[in-house]
Amino acid sequence: MLNILKIPLQKIRKNSEQDLAKAAIRGDSDAFSELIKIHKASLYKIAYSYVKDEQKALDILQETVYKGLINIEKLKEAKYFKTWITKILINTSIDYSKKEEKIVYIEETILSEDHKNISIEDKLDLYDAIDMLSDNYKMVIILKYFNDMTDEQIAKNMDIPINTVKSHLRRAKEKIKQILKDGDL
């Protein structure tokens, strides 16, 4: 009985994300399902930020889950499951947006509280300016400011060096300022 009490709490927890990912890599579809349930809200939010439509975001999420399930054995390290599935989702979202040839608008409700006092026209101008960015710049802006990811998380998701993330962010902000200043909208 005393030995049981000495086991750290983390070891008692059977279905940690990493254990689930390892099981999923070995072919356990139930473990994969559990992982998707854990991350579905975050994945949906990213998909929605690309297409601004509930049904399309759900379609993207469904396609991402399908692609993930088929390719789960390609995941090298279980601890990177969320990064891996997010990368699949982002690529699926970009492909879907290109296929639909629609403009990507940033969801108004995910702006931080200090942006609530900005007029609707100014927000729309900002969204339009973000839409005018190249895909790489747009992606870092969305991940950083609308999904609250750190530079390190963005680098992992986009599979680029962290300094590239920082330069993309700096250049994207400069480009947005220039677009808004020049009134290119």
Side-chain angles (χ1 to χ4, degrees):
M1 184 70 165
L2 290 174
N3 290 338
I4 293 174
L5 296 176
K6 291 181 182 178
I7 298 173
L9 186 60
Q10 291 177 344
K11 290 185 180 180
I12 293 174
R13 200 172 114 203
K14 289 176 162 177
N15 291 333
S16 73
E17 284 184 45
Q18 200 165 351
D19 292 339
L20 287 170
K22 286 177 184 175
I25 291 169
R26 289 191 304 268
D28 184 348
S29 59
D30 290 336
F32 183 82
S33 238
E34 283 299 313
L35 285 167
I36 295 300
K37 286 178 186 175
I38 292 169
H39 299 294
K40 70 182 176 185
S42 163
L43 295 171
Y44 173 80
K45 193 164 113 175
I46 294 170
Y48 190 88
S49 71
Y50 276 90
V51 292
K52 302 300 166 277
D53 182 270
E54 204 174 305
Q55 192 57 48
K56 290 177 184 175
L58 290 172
D59 289 346
I60 290 170
L61 185 57
Q62 183 178 3
E63 189 172 339
T64 300
V65 170
Y66 173 73
K67 287 178 180 178
L69 184 59
I70 287 179
N71 295 302
I72 187 69
E73 73 279 350
K74 294 179 182 175
L75 178 60
K76 302 283 188 244
E77 291 188 49
K79 65 182 178 181
Y80 295 122
F81 176 80
K82 184 176 181 185
T83 301
W84 176 78
I85 198 72
T86 302
K87 190 183 295 187
I88 292 173
L89 178 94
I90 289 169
N91 290 332
T92 303
S93 297
I94 290 170
D95 291 345
Y96 191 92
S97 293
K98 285 179 182 176
K99 203 182 321 178
E100 292 290 313
E101 297 180 357
K102 297 216 178 209
I103 298 173
V104 178
Y105 292 100
I106 307 296
E107 180 184 0
E108 185 173 336
T109 58
I110 54 179
L111 288 174
S112 63
E113 287 301 316
D114 56 329
H115 291 93
K116 294 291 183 190
N117 58 354
I118 297 174
S119 73
I120 291 174
E121 292 82 17
D122 289 342
K123 288 179 186 177
L124 291 174
D125 285 346
L126 175 62
Y127 298 159
D128 289 342
I130 291 170
D131 286 336
M132 295 174 76
L133 298 174
S134 68
D135 284 342
N136 284 339
Y137 292 172
K138 189 184 313 183
M139 190 182 309
V140 295
I141 292 290
I142 289 171
L143 293 176
K144 177 77 172 183
Y145 296 106
F146 296 92
N147 291 303
D148 298 323
M149 288 189 174
T150 64
D151 293 351
E152 293 82 12
Q153 291 170 324
I154 295 169
K156 284 181 185 176
N157 278 315
M158 293 182 66
D159 198 24
I160 58 176
I162 191 161
N163 286 334
T164 303
V165 170
K166 290 176 182 178
S167 66
H168 280 1
L169 282 168
R170 182 180 43 78
R171 290 178 185 151
K173 287 189 256 182
E174 288 171 1
K175 180 79 172 160
I176 290 170
K177 285 179 190 175
Q178 189 65 41
I179 291 169
L180 293 173
K181 180 181 169 190
D182 293 346
D184 289 341
L185 304 171

